[in-house]
Coordinates of all heavy atoms in Angstrom, one line a residue:
G250 N -8.7 13.5 0.7 CA -9.2 13.8 2.0 C -8.2 14.6 2.8 O -7.1 15.0 2.2
E251 N -8.5 14.8 4.0 CA -7.6 15.6 4.9 C -6.5 14.7 5.4 O -6.6 13.5 5.5 CB -8.4 16.0 6.1 CG -9.5 17.0 5.8 CD -9.0 18.3 5.4 OE1 -8.0 18.8 6.1 OE2 -9.5 18.9 4.5
P252 N -5.3 15.3 5.6 CA -4.2 14.6 6.2 C -4.6 13.9 7.5 O -5.3 14.5 8.3 CB -3.1 15.6 6.4 CG -3.5 16.7 5.5 CD -5.0 16.7 5.4
T253 N -4.2 12.7 7.7 CA -4.6 12.0 8.9 C -3.5 11.0 9.4 O -2.6 10.6 8.6 CB -5.9 11.2 8.7 OG1 -6.3 10.6 9.9 CG2 -5.7 10.1 7.7
N254 N -3.5 10.7 10.7 CA -2.7 9.6 11.2 C -3.6 8.6 11.9 O -3.1 7.8 12.7 CB -1.6 10.1 12.1 CG -2.1 10.9 13.3 OD1 -3.3 11.1 13.4 ND2 -1.1 11.5 14.0
D255 N -4.9 8.7 11.7 CA -5.9 7.8 12.2 C -5.7 6.4 11.5 O -5.9 6.3 10.3 CB -7.3 8.3 12.0 CG -8.4 7.4 12.6 OD1 -8.4 6.2 12.2 OD2 -9.1 7.9 13.5
E256 N -5.4 5.4 12.3 CA -5.1 4.1 11.8 C -6.2 3.5 11.0 O -6.0 2.8 10.0 CB -4.6 3.1 12.9 CG -3.2 3.5 13.4 CD -2.8 2.5 14.5 OE1 -3.4 1.4 14.7 OE2 -1.8 2.9 15.2
Q257 N -7.4 3.7 11.5 CA -8.6 3.1 10.8 C -8.9 3.8 9.5 O -9.2 3.1 8.5 CB -9.9 3.2 11.7 CG -9.9 2.2 12.8 CD -11.3 2.2 13.5 OE1 -11.8 3.3 13.8 NE2 -11.8 1.0 13.8
L258 N -8.7 5.1 9.4 CA -8.9 5.8 8.1 C -7.8 5.4 7.1 O -8.1 5.2 5.9 CB -8.9 7.3 8.4 CG -10.1 7.9 9.1 CD1 -9.9 9.4 9.3 CD2 -11.4 7.6 8.4
I259 N -6.6 5.2 7.6 CA -5.5 4.8 6.7 C -5.8 3.4 6.2 O -5.6 3.1 5.0 CB -4.2 5.0 7.4 CG1 -3.9 6.4 7.7 CG2 -3.1 4.3 6.6 CD1 -2.7 6.7 8.6
A260 N -6.2 2.5 7.1 CA -6.5 1.1 6.7 C -7.6 1.1 5.7 O -7.5 0.3 4.7 CB -6.8 0.3 7.9
C261 N -8.6 1.9 5.9 CA -9.8 1.9 4.9 C -9.3 2.5 3.5 O -9.7 1.9 2.5 CB -10.9 2.8 5.4 SG -11.8 2.1 6.8
A262 N -8.5 3.5 3.6 CA -8.0 4.0 2.3 C -7.1 3.0 1.6 O -7.1 2.9 0.4 CB -7.2 5.3 2.6
L263 N -6.3 2.3 2.4 CA -5.4 1.3 1.8 C -6.2 0.2 1.2 O -5.9 -0.3 0.1 CB -4.4 0.8 2.9 CG -3.3 -0.1 2.4 CD1 -2.4 0.7 1.5 CD2 -2.5 -0.6 3.6
F264 N -7.2 -0.3 1.9 CA -8.1 -1.3 1.4 C -8.7 -0.9 0.1 O -8.9 -1.7 -0.9 CB -9.1 -1.8 2.4 CG -9.8 -3.1 1.9 CD1 -9.1 -4.3 2.0 CD2 -11.1 -3.0 1.4 CE1 -9.8 -5.5 1.6 CE2 -11.7 -4.2 0.9 CZ -11.0 -5.4 1.1
G265 N -9.1 0.4 0.0 CA -9.7 0.9 -1.3 C -8.7 0.8 -2.4 O -9.1 0.4 -3.5
L266 N -7.5 1.2 -2.2 CA -6.4 1.1 -3.2 C -6.2 -0.4 -3.6 O -6.1 -0.7 -4.8 CB -5.1 1.6 -2.7 CG -5.0 3.1 -2.5 CD1 -3.6 3.5 -1.8 CD2 -5.1 3.9 -3.8
V267 N -6.1 -1.2 -2.6 CA -5.9 -2.7 -2.9 C -7.1 -3.2 -3.7 O -6.9 -4.0 -4.7 CB -5.7 -3.5 -1.6 CG1 -5.8 -5.0 -1.8 CG2 -4.4 -3.1 -1.0
S268 N -8.3 -2.9 -3.4 CA -9.5 -3.4 -4.1 C -9.5 -2.9 -5.5 O -9.8 -3.8 -6.4 CB -10.8 -2.9 -3.4 OG -10.9 -3.4 -2.1
K269 N -9.2 -1.7 -5.8 CA -9.1 -1.2 -7.2 C -8.0 -1.9 -7.9 O -8.2 -2.3 -9.1 CB -8.9 0.3 -7.2 CG -10.1 1.1 -6.8 CD -9.8 2.6 -6.8 CE -11.0 3.3 -6.2 NZ -10.7 4.8 -6.1
A270 N -6.8 -2.0 -7.3 CA -5.7 -2.6 -8.0 C -6.0 -4.1 -8.3 O -5.7 -4.6 -9.4 CB -4.4 -2.5 -7.2
G271 N -6.5 -4.8 -7.3 CA -6.9 -6.2 -7.4 C -7.9 -6.4 -8.5 O -7.8 -7.4 -9.3
A272 N -8.9 -5.6 -8.6 CA -9.9 -5.7 -9.6 C -9.3 -5.6 -11.0 O -9.6 -6.3 -12.0 CB -11.0 -4.7 -9.4
K273 N -8.4 -4.6 -11.2 CA -7.8 -4.4 -12.5 C -6.9 -5.6 -12.9 O -6.9 -6.0 -14.0 CB -6.9 -3.1 -12.5 CG -7.8 -1.8 -12.5 CD -6.9 -0.6 -12.5 CE -7.8 0.7 -12.5 NZ -6.9 1.9 -12.5
I274 N -6.1 -6.1 -11.9 CA -5.3 -7.2 -12.1 C -6.1 -8.4 -12.5 O -5.7 -9.1 -13.5 CB -4.4 -7.5 -10.9 CG1 -3.4 -6.4 -10.7 CG2 -3.7 -8.8 -11.0 CD1 -2.7 -6.4 -9.3
R275 N -7.1 -8.7 -11.8 CA -8.0 -9.9 -12.1 C -8.7 -9.7 -13.5 O -8.8 -10.7 -14.2 CB -9.0 -10.1 -11.0 CG -8.4 -10.7 -9.7 CD -9.4 -11.1 -8.7 NE -10.3 -10.0 -8.4 CZ -10.1 -9.1 -7.4 NH1 -8.9 -9.1 -6.8 NH2 -10.9 -8.1 -7.2
A276 N -9.1 -8.5 -13.8 CA -9.7 -8.3 -15.1 C -8.8 -8.6 -16.3 O -9.2 -9.0 -17.3 CB -10.2 -6.8 -15.2
M277 N -7.5 -8.4 -16.0 CA -6.5 -8.8 -17.0 C -6.1 -10.3 -17.0 O -5.3 -10.7 -17.8 CB -5.2 -7.9 -16.9 CG -5.4 -6.5 -17.1 SD -3.9 -5.5 -17.0 CE -3.6 -5.5 -15.3
G278 N -6.6 -11.0 -16.0 CA -6.3 -12.4 -15.8 C -4.8 -12.6 -15.3 O -4.2 -13.6 -15.7
L279 N -4.3 -11.7 -14.6 CA -3.0 -11.7 -14.1 C -2.9 -11.7 -12.6 O -3.9 -11.6 -11.9 CB -2.2 -10.5 -14.7 CG -2.1 -10.4 -16.2 CD1 -1.5 -9.1 -16.6 CD2 -1.3 -11.6 -16.7
A280 N -1.7 -11.8 -12.1 CA -1.4 -11.7 -10.6 C -0.1 -10.9 -10.4 O 0.7 -10.9 -11.3 CB -1.3 -13.1 -10.0
A281 N 0.0 -10.2 -9.3 CA 1.1 -9.3 -9.0 C 2.2 -10.1 -8.3 O 2.0 -10.9 -7.4 CB 0.7 -8.2 -8.1
G282 N 3.5 -10.0 -8.8 CA 4.6 -10.6 -8.2 C 5.4 -9.7 -7.3 O 6.3 -10.2 -6.6
R283 N 5.1 -8.4 -7.4 CA 5.9 -7.4 -6.6 C 4.9 -6.3 -6.3 O 4.1 -5.9 -7.2 CB 7.1 -6.9 -7.4 CG 8.0 -6.1 -6.6 CD 9.2 -5.7 -7.4 NE 8.8 -5.0 -8.6 CZ 9.6 -4.4 -9.5 NH1 10.8 -4.3 -9.2 NH2 9.1 -3.8 -10.5
I284 N 5.0 -5.7 -5.1 CA 4.2 -4.6 -4.7 C 5.1 -3.5 -4.2 O 6.2 -3.7 -3.7 CB 3.2 -4.9 -3.7 CG1 3.8 -5.6 -2.5 CG2 2.0 -5.8 -4.3 CD1 2.8 -5.9 -1.4
R285 N 4.7 -2.3 -4.4 CA 5.4 -1.1 -3.8 C 4.4 -0.1 -3.2 O 3.4 0.1 -3.8 CB 6.2 -0.4 -4.9 CG 6.9 0.9 -4.5 CD 7.5 1.6 -5.7 NE 8.8 2.2 -5.2 CZ 10.0 1.7 -5.4 NH1 10.1 0.6 -6.1 NH2 11.0 2.2 -4.9
L286 N 4.7 0.3 -2.0 CA 3.8 1.3 -1.4 C 4.6 2.6 -1.1 O 5.7 2.5 -0.5 CB 3.3 0.7 -0.1 CG 2.3 1.7 0.7 CD1 1.0 1.9 -0.1 CD2 2.0 1.1 2.1
R287 N 4.1 3.7 -1.6 CA 4.7 5.0 -1.3 C 3.8 5.9 -0.5 O 2.6 5.9 -0.8 CB 5.1 5.7 -2.7 CG 5.8 6.9 -2.5 CD 6.3 7.5 -3.8 NE 5.1 7.9 -4.5 CZ 4.9 7.8 -5.9 NH1 5.8 7.2 -6.6 NH2 3.8 8.2 -6.4
I288 N 4.3 6.5 0.5 CA 3.4 7.4 1.3 C 4.1 8.8 1.3 O 5.3 8.9 1.2 CB 3.3 6.9 2.8 CG1 4.6 6.8 3.5 CG2 2.5 5.5 2.8 CD1 4.5 6.5 5.0
L289 N 3.2 9.8 1.5 CA 3.6 11.2 1.6 C 3.1 11.7 2.9 O 2.0 11.7 3.2 CB 3.1 12.0 0.4 CG 3.5 13.4 0.4 CD1 5.0 13.6 0.2 CD2 2.7 14.1 -0.8
Y290 N 4.1 12.2 3.7 CA 3.7 12.8 5.0 C 3.3 14.3 4.8 O 3.6 14.9 3.8 CB 5.0 12.8 5.9 CG 5.3 11.4 6.4 CD1 6.4 10.7 5.8 CD2 4.7 10.8 7.5 CE1 6.8 9.5 6.3 CE2 5.1 9.6 7.9 CZ 6.1 8.9 7.3 OH 6.5 7.7 7.8
A291 N 2.6 14.8 5.7 CA 2.1 16.2 5.7 C 3.2 17.2 5.6 O 3.0 18.3 5.1 CB 1.2 16.4 6.9
D292 N 4.4 16.8 6.1 CA 5.5 17.7 6.1 C 6.3 17.7 4.8 O 7.4 18.3 4.6 CB 6.4 17.6 7.3 CG 7.1 16.2 7.3 OD1 6.9 15.4 6.4 OD2 7.8 15.9 8.3
G293 N 5.8 16.9 3.8 CA 6.4 16.8 2.5 C 7.4 15.6 2.3 O 7.8 15.3 1.2
A294 N 7.8 14.9 3.4 CA 8.7 13.8 3.3 C 7.9 12.6 2.6 O 6.7 12.4 2.8 CB 9.1 13.4 4.7
C295 N 8.7 11.9 1.8 CA 8.1 10.7 1.1 C 8.9 9.5 1.4 O 10.2 9.5 1.5 CB 8.2 11.0 -0.4 SG 7.4 9.8 -1.4
E296 N 8.3 8.4 1.6 CA 8.9 7.1 1.9 C 8.3 6.0 1.0 O 7.1 6.1 0.7 CB 8.7 6.7 3.4 CG 9.3 7.7 4.4 CD 10.8 7.6 4.5 OE1 11.4 6.6 4.1 OE2 11.4 8.6 4.9
S297 N 9.0 5.0 0.7 CA 8.5 3.9 0.0 C 9.2 2.6 0.3 O 10.3 2.6 0.7 CB 8.5 4.2 -1.6 OG 9.8 4.1 -2.0
R298 N 8.5 1.5 0.1 CA 9.0 0.2 0.3 C 8.5 -0.7 -0.8 O 7.3 -0.5 -1.2 CB 8.6 -0.4 1.7 CG 9.3 0.2 2.9 CD 10.7 -0.4 3.0 NE 11.5 0.3 4.0 CZ 11.7 -0.1 5.2 NH1 11.2 -1.2 5.6 NH2 12.4 0.7 6.0
M299 N 9.3 -1.7 -1.1 CA 8.9 -2.6 -2.1 C 9.0 -4.0 -1.6 O 9.9 -4.3 -0.7 CB 9.8 -2.5 -3.4 CG 9.3 -3.4 -4.5 SD 10.5 -4.2 -5.5 CE 12.0 -4.4 -4.5
A300 N 8.2 -5.0 -2.0 CA 8.3 -6.4 -1.6 C 8.0 -7.3 -2.8 O 7.1 -7.0 -3.5 CB 7.3 -6.7 -0.5
R301 N 8.9 -8.2 -2.9 CA 8.7 -9.3 -3.9 C 7.9 -10.4 -3.3 O 8.2 -10.8 -2.2 CB 10.0 -9.8 -4.4 CG 9.9 -10.8 -5.5 CD 11.2 -11.1 -6.2 NE 11.8 -9.9 -6.8 CZ 11.5 -9.3 -7.9 NH1 10.5 -9.7 -8.6 NH2 12.2 -8.3 -8.3
L302 N 6.8 -10.8 -3.9 CA 5.9 -11.7 -3.3 C 6.4 -13.2 -3.6 O 6.8 -13.4 -4.8 CB 4.5 -11.5 -3.8 CG 3.9 -10.1 -3.6 CD1 2.6 -9.9 -4.3 CD2 3.8 -9.9 -2.1
P303 N 6.3 -14.1 -2.7 CA 6.8 -15.4 -2.9 C 6.0 -16.1 -4.0 O 6.5 -16.9 -4.8 CB 6.7 -16.1 -1.6 CG 5.9 -15.2 -0.7 CD 5.9 -13.9 -1.3
V304 N 4.7 -15.8 -4.0 CA 3.8 -16.4 -5.0 C 3.0 -15.2 -5.5 O 2.4 -14.4 -4.7 CB 2.8 -17.4 -4.3 CG1 1.8 -17.9 -5.3 CG2 3.6 -18.6 -3.7
P305 N 2.8 -15.0 -6.9 CA 2.0 -14.0 -7.4 C 0.6 -14.1 -6.9 O 0.0 -15.2 -6.8 CB 2.1 -14.2 -8.9 CG 3.4 -14.9 -9.1 CD 3.5 -15.8 -7.9
I306 N 0.0 -12.9 -6.5 CA -1.3 -12.9 -6.0 C -2.2 -11.8 -6.7 O -1.7 -10.9 -7.2 CB -1.3 -12.6 -4.4 CG1 -0.6 -11.4 -4.1 CG2 -0.8 -13.8 -3.7 CD1 -0.6 -11.0 -2.6
S307 N -3.5 -12.1 -6.6 CA -4.5 -11.1 -7.2 C -5.7 -10.9 -6.3 O -6.5 -10.0 -6.5 CB -4.9 -11.5 -8.6 OG -5.6 -12.8 -8.5
G308 N -5.8 -11.8 -5.3 CA -7.0 -11.7 -4.4 C -6.9 -10.5 -3.4 O -5.8 -10.2 -2.9
D309 N -8.0 -9.8 -3.2 CA -7.9 -8.6 -2.4 C -7.4 -8.8 -1.0 O -6.6 -8.0 -0.5 CB -9.3 -7.9 -2.3 CG -9.8 -7.4 -3.6 OD1 -9.0 -7.3 -4.6 OD2 -11.0 -7.0 -3.7
L310 N -7.9 -9.8 -0.3 CA -7.5 -10.0 1.1 C -6.1 -10.4 1.2 O -5.4 -9.9 2.1 CB -8.4 -11.1 1.7 CG -9.9 -10.7 1.9 CD1 -10.7 -11.8 2.5 CD2 -10.1 -9.4 2.6
T311 N -5.6 -11.3 0.4 CA -4.2 -11.7 0.4 C -3.3 -10.5 0.1 O -2.3 -10.2 0.7 CB -3.9 -12.8 -0.5 OG1 -4.8 -13.9 -0.3 CG2 -2.5 -13.4 -0.4
L312 N -3.7 -9.7 -1.0 CA -2.9 -8.6 -1.4 C -2.9 -7.5 -0.2 O -1.9 -6.9 0.1 CB -3.6 -8.0 -2.6 CG -2.8 -6.9 -3.4 CD1 -1.4 -7.5 -3.8 CD2 -3.5 -6.5 -4.7
F313 N -4.1 -7.3 0.4 CA -4.2 -6.4 1.5 C -3.3 -6.8 2.7 O -2.6 -5.9 3.3 CB -5.6 -6.3 2.0 CG -5.8 -5.3 3.1 CD1 -5.7 -3.9 2.9 CD2 -6.1 -5.7 4.4 CE1 -5.8 -3.0 3.9 CE2 -6.2 -4.8 5.4 CZ -6.1 -3.4 5.2
D314 N -3.2 -8.1 3.0 CA -2.3 -8.5 4.0 C -0.8 -8.1 3.7 O -0.1 -7.6 4.6 CB -2.4 -10.0 4.2 CG -3.7 -10.5 4.9 OD1 -4.4 -9.6 5.5 OD2 -4.0 -11.7 4.7
Q315 N -0.4 -8.4 2.5 CA 0.9 -8.1 2.1 C 1.2 -6.5 2.1 O 2.3 -6.1 2.5 CB 1.3 -8.6 0.7 CG 1.2 -10.1 0.7 CD 2.3 -10.8 1.6 OE1 3.4 -10.3 1.6 NE2 1.9 -11.8 2.3
V316 N 0.3 -5.8 1.6 CA 0.4 -4.3 1.6 C 0.4 -3.7 3.0 O 1.1 -2.8 3.3 CB -0.7 -3.7 0.7 CG1 -0.6 -2.1 0.7 CG2 -0.5 -4.1 -0.8
S317 N -0.4 -4.3 3.9 CA -0.4 -3.9 5.3 C 0.9 -4.1 5.9 O 1.4 -3.2 6.7 CB -1.5 -4.6 6.0 OG -2.8 -4.3 5.6
L318 N 1.6 -5.2 5.6 CA 2.9 -5.4 6.1 C 3.9 -4.3 5.7 O 4.7 -3.8 6.5 CB 3.5 -6.8 5.7 CG 2.8 -8.0 6.3 CD1 3.3 -9.3 5.7 CD2 2.9 -8.0 7.8
L319 N 3.8 -4.0 4.4 CA 4.6 -2.9 3.9 C 4.3 -1.6 4.6 O 5.2 -0.8 4.9 CB 4.4 -2.7 2.4 CG 5.2 -3.5 1.4 CD1 4.9 -3.1 0.0 CD2 6.6 -3.4 1.7
L320 N 3.0 -1.3 4.8 CA 2.6 0.0 5.5 C 3.3 0.1 6.9 O 3.8 1.1 7.2 CB 1.1 0.1 5.6 CG 0.6 1.3 6.4 CD1 1.0 2.6 5.6 CD2 -0.9 1.3 6.6
H321 N 3.3 -1.0 7.6 CA 3.9 -1.0 8.9 C 5.4 -0.8 8.9 O 6.0 -0.2 9.8 CB 3.6 -2.3 9.7 CG 2.2 -2.4 10.1 ND1 1.5 -1.4 10.7 CD2 1.3 -3.4 9.9 CE1 0.2 -1.8 10.9 NE2 0.1 -3.0 10.4
K322 N 6.0 -1.2 7.8 CA 7.5 -1.0 7.6 C 7.8 0.5 7.2 O 8.8 1.0 7.5 CB 8.1 -1.9 6.6 CG 8.1 -3.4 7.1 CD 8.6 -4.3 6.0 CE 8.6 -5.7 6.5 NZ 9.0 -6.7 5.5
V323 N 6.9 1.0 6.3 CA 7.2 2.3 5.8 C 6.7 3.5 6.6 O 7.3 4.6 6.6 CB 6.7 2.4 4.3 CG1 5.2 2.6 4.3 CG2 7.3 3.6 3.6
Y324 N 5.6 3.3 7.3 CA 5.0 4.4 8.1 C 5.6 4.4 9.5 O 5.1 3.7 10.4 CB 3.5 4.2 8.1 CG 2.7 5.4 8.8 CD1 3.2 6.7 8.7 CD2 1.5 5.1 9.4 CE1 2.5 7.7 9.3 CE2 0.8 6.1 10.0 CZ 1.3 7.4 9.9 OH 0.6 8.5 10.5
T325 N 6.7 5.1 9.7 CA 7.5 5.0 10.9 C 7.4 6.3 11.8 O 8.0 6.3 12.9 CB 9.0 4.7 10.6 OG1 9.5 5.7 9.8 CG2 9.1 3.3 10.0
R326 N 6.8 7.3 11.2 CA 6.8 8.6 11.9 C 5.4 8.9 12.4 O 4.4 8.3 11.9 CB 7.2 9.7 11.0 CG 8.6 9.5 10.4 CD 9.0 10.5 9.3 NE 8.9 11.8 9.8 CZ 8.7 12.9 9.0 NH1 8.5 12.7 7.7 NH2 8.6 14.1 9.5
R327 N 5.2 9.7 13.4 CA 3.9 10.1 13.9 C 3.4 11.3 13.2 O 2.6 12.1 13.8 CB 4.0 10.2 15.4 CG 4.3 8.9 16.1 CD 4.4 9.0 17.6 NE 3.3 9.3 18.4 CZ 2.3 8.4 18.6 NH1 2.4 7.2 18.1 NH2 1.3 8.7 19.4
V328 N 3.7 11.5 12.0 CA 3.2 12.7 11.2 C 2.1 12.2 10.3 O 2.0 11.0 9.9 CB 4.4 13.2 10.3 CG1 3.9 14.3 9.4 CG2 5.6 13.6 11.2
R329 N 1.1 13.1 10.1 CA -0.1 12.7 9.3 C 0.3 12.4 7.9 O 1.3 12.9 7.4 CB -1.1 13.9 9.3 CG -1.7 14.1 10.7 CD -2.6 15.3 10.7 NE -1.8 16.5 10.5 CZ -2.3 17.6 10.1 NH1 -3.5 17.8 9.9 NH2 -1.5 18.7 10.0
L330 N -0.5 11.5 7.3 CA -0.3 11.2 5.9 C -1.2 12.0 5.0 O -2.3 12.3 5.3 CB -0.6 9.7 5.6 CG 0.3 8.7 6.3 CD1 -0.1 7.2 5.9 CD2 1.8 8.9 6.0
T331 N -0.7 12.4 3.8 CA -1.5 13.1 2.9 C -1.8 12.3 1.6 O -2.7 12.6 0.9 CB -0.8 14.4 2.4 OG1 0.4 14.1 1.8 CG2 -0.6 15.3 3.6
D332 N -1.0 11.2 1.3 CA -1.1 10.5 0.1 C -0.5 9.1 0.2 O 0.5 9.0 0.9 CB -0.5 11.2 -1.1 CG -1.0 10.7 -2.4 OD1 -2.1 10.2 -2.5 OD2 -0.2 10.9 -3.4
M333 N -1.1 8.1 -0.4 CA -0.5 6.8 -0.5 C -0.7 6.3 -2.0 O -1.7 6.6 -2.6 CB -1.3 5.8 0.3 CG -1.1 6.0 1.8 SD -1.8 4.6 2.8 CE -3.6 4.8 2.5
V334 N 0.4 5.7 -2.5 CA 0.3 5.2 -3.9 C 0.7 3.7 -3.8 O 1.7 3.3 -3.2 CB 1.3 5.9 -4.8 CG1 1.4 5.3 -6.1 CG2 1.0 7.4 -4.8
L335 N -0.1 2.8 -4.4 CA 0.2 1.4 -4.5 C 0.5 1.0 -5.9 O -0.2 1.4 -6.8 CB -1.0 0.6 -4.0 CG -0.9 -0.9 -4.2 CD1 0.2 -1.5 -3.3 CD2 -2.3 -1.5 -3.8
E336 N 1.6 0.4 -6.1 CA 2.0 -0.2 -7.4 C 2.1 -1.7 -7.3 O 2.6 -2.2 -6.4 CB 3.4 0.3 -7.8 CG 3.5 1.8 -8.0 CD 4.9 2.2 -8.4 OE1 5.7 1.4 -8.8 OE2 5.2 3.4 -8.2
C337 N 1.5 -2.3 -8.3 CA 1.6 -3.8 -8.4 C 2.3 -4.0 -9.7 O 1.9 -3.7 -10.8 CB 0.2 -4.4 -8.5 SG -0.8 -4.1 -7.0
N338 N 3.5 -4.7 -9.6 CA 4.4 -4.9 -10.7 C 4.6 -6.4 -10.9 O 4.1 -7.2 -10.2 CB 5.7 -4.2 -10.5 CG 5.5 -2.7 -10.3 OD1 4.9 -2.1 -11.2 ND2 6.0 -2.1 -9.3
D339 N 5.5 -6.7 -11.9 CA 5.8 -8.1 -12.3 C 4.5 -8.9 -12.4 O 4.4 -10.0 -11.8 CB 6.7 -8.7 -11.2 CG 8.1 -8.1 -11.2 OD1 8.4 -7.3 -12.1 OD2 8.9 -8.3 -10.3
L340 N 3.6 -8.4 -13.2 CA 2.4 -9.1 -13.5 C 2.6 -10.4 -14.3 O 3.2 -10.3 -15.3 CB 1.3 -8.2 -14.1 CG 1.0 -6.9 -13.4 CD1 0.0 -6.1 -14.2 CD2 0.5 -7.2 -12.0
T341 N 2.0 -11.5 -13.8 CA 2.2 -12.7 -14.5 C 0.8 -13.4 -14.7 O -0.1 -13.2 -13.9 CB 3.1 -13.7 -13.8 OG1 2.6 -13.9 -12.5 CG2 4.5 -13.1 -13.7

């Protein structure tokens, strides 16, 4: 899509990423122990943050809550976003 800094559009896109990742993780019968969110700003700058989860999770809503916390830590500029990448690691 188009670069945006609209919070609702970003949240919807993030939930889409979480839903896809959660479905894949659950299909494997696993849960994520660590998550990483990488964002790309329209000016080419890239930022990322990682979080180790206290308890491995695979549910969409719980995963979305954790990824949203990461988004608030990593998205610190008022520049539009062009891309977001979600990684779920340490699958158990």
Side-chain angles (χ1 to χ4, degrees):
E251 293 292 314
T253 186
N254 57 2
D255 183 301
E256 291 180 15
Q257 281 188 320
L258 291 176
I259 292 170
C261 287
L263 191 62
F264 191 77
L266 289 174
V267 168
S268 295
K269 288 178 186 178
K273 287 181 181 181
I274 292 169
R275 287 188 303 276
M277 293 184 287
L279 300 171
R283 187 177 58 169
I284 53 175
R285 175 185 217 100
L286 182 65
R287 186 175 65 220
I288 61 171
L289 180 64
Y290 290 100
D292 64 2
C295 184
E296 299 285 339
S297 71
R298 286 283 170 100
M299 186 219 28
R301 185 166 303 282
L302 304 171
V304 177
I306 54 176
S307 63
D309 290 351
L310 296 178
T311 309
L312 193 56
F313 181 71
D314 288 342
Q315 294 298 315
V316 174
S317 292
L318 291 174
L319 274 185
L320 178 64
H321 291 309
K322 291 178 182 178
V323 73
Y324 187 33
T325 58
R326 301 171 60 206
R327 295 178 70 73
V328 178
R329 294 176 292 162
L330 296 183
T331 59
D332 196 24
M333 290 189 293
V334 176
L335 173 62
E336 295 176 19
C337 297
N338 300 306
D339 292 348
L340 301 179
T341 60

